[in-house]
Amino acid sequence: MKTEAMVIRENGGAEVLKRETIDIAEPGPRQVLVRVRAVALNHIDVWVRRGLPNVKYDFPHRLGSDIAGEIEALGPGATGCKVGQKVLVSPGVSCGVCAKCLAGEDNLCSRYNILGETTQGGYARHVVVPDANILPYPSAGPGGDLPFTEAAAIPLAFLTAWQMVVTRARVAPGETVLVQAAGSGVSSAAIQIAKLFGARVIGTAGSDEKLERARALGMDVGINYTTTDFVAEVKKLTEKRGVDAVIEHVGGDVFVKSILATRWGGCVVTCGATMGHSPTIDLRHIFFRQVRVLGSTMGSKGDLHRMMPLFSQGKLRPVVDRVLPLWSAVEAHRVLEERKAFGKVVLEVE
């Protein structure tokens, strides 16, 4: 079938995103066709568009990991969903049959892919996904369902943040957590999750405006890293002890300083390196103070299912900075690259 999409046919700047009519296959066994209503941006969209090392793309390639929409058709044997159902799509695709998948650790599957990264994504009117990736649609409480543009801001950011805060850092009541780059999608989710688990949250951002918005999400103390040394301020706020955990995806010098801001025996959890992937680290700060450095990528499908009721109960909420039409994806990418957004930039698909 034919559908309209924003695609890339080469790697490069935002200008390589083009509107085209493309062919997509009908849903196969255990697959569903989703009519996309909204798709949220992530930094992975920018990295893929620029080109990742050792990754070969099947051009024309469609970006987009965070998808909200309605089921338009079912492939043979598709279960657990029906035509016309409003859905979210879990962004991680795995084999479903290996030991890790069967243990509920599908993000450790050796064949794991992320929609829009190493497989086709949701920058289109339609996308075909496995039925195992269909999530229940979150309500907004008694008022009805969340708008598609808000629901699309949930999957990747909240899944990533949940694994970082809950599974990897194991944040507990009374602990202090430092969340770097509080205005990002992952960090705006991490602030809410850390507060849900009873932590005191310190956040950093590059403007007072972003810090004010982060406080509205529950952040206790904000540090503007353009005017204040966040390591010194963290030590002051914790009586020289340091934080129990750092939630970090900036990389570069911020990663190095995050280790210094951590208490003896604390942990730094990292899921990205937006500002540099080759920091110079003094290992003595890790082994002597016994700081744990933990990597984290995505999370399990089960984690997303467990989170959905928390949105309906109002305990978590998606954070949307702005909504643009899908056909304005070039502008949306530039907003993300220029760090102008607080929370998610979402593309609406008419």
Side-chain angles (χ1 to χ4, degrees), residues 231-272:
V231 176
E233 189 65 15
V234 162
K235 292 296 180 71
K236 179 181 175 182
L237 291 167
T238 59
E239 298 179 340
K240 299 183 180 180
R241 177 175 178 269
V243 296
D244 297 284
V246 182
I247 304 302
E248 205 283 316
H249 58 81
V250 181
D253 193 45
V254 173
F255 178 81
V256 176
K257 290 183 177 180
S258 293
I259 295 170
L260 302 180
T262 307
R263 68 165 174 84
W264 287 54
C267 70
V268 178
V269 186
T270 176
C271 73

Side-chain angles (χ1 to χ4, degrees), residues 145-214:
D145 292 337
L146 286 174
F148 286 119
T149 50
E150 290 186 25
I154 292 173
L156 192 145
F158 277 89
L159 177 62
T160 300
W162 185 275
Q163 172 159 292
M164 295 177 80
V165 174
V166 180
T167 309
R168 301 298 276 151
R170 299 183 179 181
V171 168
E175 292 189 334
T176 300
V177 177
L178 173 63
V179 179
Q180 300 286 16
S184 74
V186 168
S187 294
S188 61
I191 289 168
Q192 296 181 64
I193 294 167
K195 290 302 296 180
L196 185 66
F197 279 77
R200 177 196 187 199
V201 176
I202 302 170
T204 68
S207 73
D208 292 339
E209 179 187 359
K210 286 186 176 181
L211 290 173
E212 196 58 39
R213 295 183 69 176

Side-chain angles (χ1 to χ4, degrees), residues 6-8 48 57-63 116-120:
M6 290 295 289
V7 304
I8 60 171
V48 171
Y57 301 101
D58 182 17
F59 294 121
H61 183 75
R62 302 190 307 277
L63 305 168
E117 181 191 29
T118 45
T119 187
Q120 297 291 345

Side-chain angles (χ1 to χ4, degrees), residues 7-8 13 39-40 77 106 129 138 147 200 221 232 240 272 304 334 342:
V7 304
I8 60 171
V39 56
D106 48 283
V129 298
R200 177 196 187 199
V221 183
K240 299 183 180 180
L304 270 175
R334 287 175 177 154
F342 182 93

